[in-house]
């Protein structure tokens, strides 16, 4: 059973009616990032995006930059699907008319992807520090303003020294195999990451006609991964 946080201004069972048929524990809160940061422990966030799509998008992006580790699923109407894009920072979407089996499957998949993450590690390179425990990344002490997916992409690449990943592999590993978008979203996120890394943009290397990689090596005490800039 998962602990769910539903961000909505509506009555809880009006947002996703079939959720009431499942055994998950759901707590409702007003749609604000402050509610997320002050809420008791939860495994997954549901955001009510059925009516005010602009406000829902802004909320998702604020949650993403706040370093919240829990997966985020949007609840939308069928008409709202056309407005959803990768820059929302959501992990998945679900129609408000979805049945209990679909809802349960999406919750399990989101929780399962998070459960496969590797143990906490600090990754360092030429002034860049990625802290998995706090979901933060810094360059020379300055915090990088990353969305959740930007952080996940940076962390995933850095956690696999020297390995080259195709766009399809990155899409599967970072966004999930059930993500309905195209591989272009990987290029968009890499471009944004490089812009935010500034002078350290070369830490994300392009392997022409293949994909992307980090070149890394272990440091002297083995507790970190030291990233070397690509030539």
């Amino acid at each position: 059973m998962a602990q769910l946080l539903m961000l909505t201004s509506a009555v809880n069972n009006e947002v996703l009616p079939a959720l009431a048929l499942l055994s998950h524990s759901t707590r409702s809160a007003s749609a604000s990032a402050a509610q997320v940061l002050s809420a008791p422990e939860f495994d997954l966030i549901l955001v009510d995006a059925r009516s005010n799509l602009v406000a829902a998008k802004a909320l998702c992006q604020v949650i993403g930059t706040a370093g919240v580790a829990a997966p985020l699923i949007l609840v939308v109407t069928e008409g709202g699907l056309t407005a959803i894009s990768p820059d929302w920072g959501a992990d998945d979407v679900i129609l408000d008319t979805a049945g209990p089996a679909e809802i349960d499957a999406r919750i399990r998949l989101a929780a399962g992807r998070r459960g496969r993450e590797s143990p906490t590690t600090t990754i360092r390179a030429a002034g860049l520090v990625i802290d998995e425990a706090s979901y933060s990344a810094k360059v020379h002490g300055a915090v990088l303003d990353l969305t959740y997916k930007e952080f996940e992409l940076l962390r995933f690449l850095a956690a696999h020294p020297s390995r080259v990943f195709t766009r399809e592999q990155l899409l599967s590993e970072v966004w999930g195999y059930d993500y309905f978008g195209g591989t272009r979203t990987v290029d968009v996120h890499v471009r944004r990451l490089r812009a935010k890394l500034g002078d350290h943009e070369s830490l994300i290397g392009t392997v022409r006609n293949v994909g992307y990689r980090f070149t890394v090596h272990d440091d002297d005490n083995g507790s970190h991964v030291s990233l070397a800039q690509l030539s």
Side-chain angles (χ1 to χ4, degrees):
M1 181 180 73
Q3 302 293 321
L4 310 179
L5 178 63
M6 173 76 75
L7 299 180
T8 181
S9 58
V11 177
N12 184 37
N13 60 10
E14 291 181 353
V15 180
L16 204 55
L19 182 60
L21 302 175
L22 300 172
S23 60
H24 302 297
S25 175
T26 305
R27 176 181 180 273
S28 293
S30 60
S32 71
Q35 291 291 334
V36 176
L37 297 177
S38 63
E41 185 175 349
F42 53 85
D43 302 311
L44 187 143
I45 302 171
L46 294 166
V47 172
D48 182 3
R50 297 172 302 157
S51 56
N52 194 335
L53 291 168
V54 174
K57 178 179 181 179
L59 176 59
C60 290
Q61 291 176 331
V62 170
I63 292 173
T65 59
V68 177
L72 189 155
I73 298 180
L74 295 170
V75 180
V76 300
T77 62
E78 188 167 359
L81 285 173
T82 58
I84 309 302
S85 59
D87 63 342
W88 283 55
D91 295 277
D92 201 355
V93 296
I94 187 167
L95 291 176
D96 58 345
T97 55
E102 180 181 351
I103 295 172
D104 193 48
R106 290 188 181 277
I107 290 172
R108 284 187 284 105
L109 286 170
R113 285 194 294 270
R114 185 57 51 85
R116 293 196 301 269
E117 290 185 348
S118 58
T120 299
T121 304
T122 299
I123 304 171
R124 303 178 183 273
L128 172 65
V129 179
I130 302 171
D131 185 355
E132 292 185 341
S134 63
Y135 268 75
S136 65
K138 300 179 181 180
V139 173
H140 294 294
V143 177
L144 291 172
D145 184 14
L146 303 179
T147 66
Y148 174 71
K149 284 302 181 187
E150 288 169 351
F151 178 87
E152 284 293 287
L153 178 60
L154 183 63
R155 182 196 63 80
F156 180 78
L157 286 170
H160 296 83
S162 302
R163 285 187 57 183
V164 179
F165 291 93
T166 66
R167 291 165 177 81
E168 290 79 9
Q169 288 174 320
L170 291 172
L171 201 64
S172 175
E173 294 290 343
V174 178
W175 279 263
Y177 73 87
D178 56 342
Y179 178 71
F180 58 84
T183 56
R184 184 177 178 276
T185 191
V186 176
D187 297 325
V188 171
H189 279 72
V190 167
R191 184 167 65 248
R192 290 174 179 169
L193 272 175
R194 284 173 170 163
K196 292 179 179 182
L197 286 169
D199 293 340
H200 300 272
E201 65 176 353
S202 59
L203 289 170
I204 303 177
T206 300
V207 179
R208 185 169 297 182
N209 299 323
V210 181
Y212 301 102
R213 71 174 178 184
F214 263 85
T215 299
V216 301
H217 58 82
D218 294 333
D219 71 0
D220 53 1
N221 61 19
S223 61
H224 303 87
V225 178
S226 177
L227 284 65
Q229 288 191 333
L230 296 171
S231 58

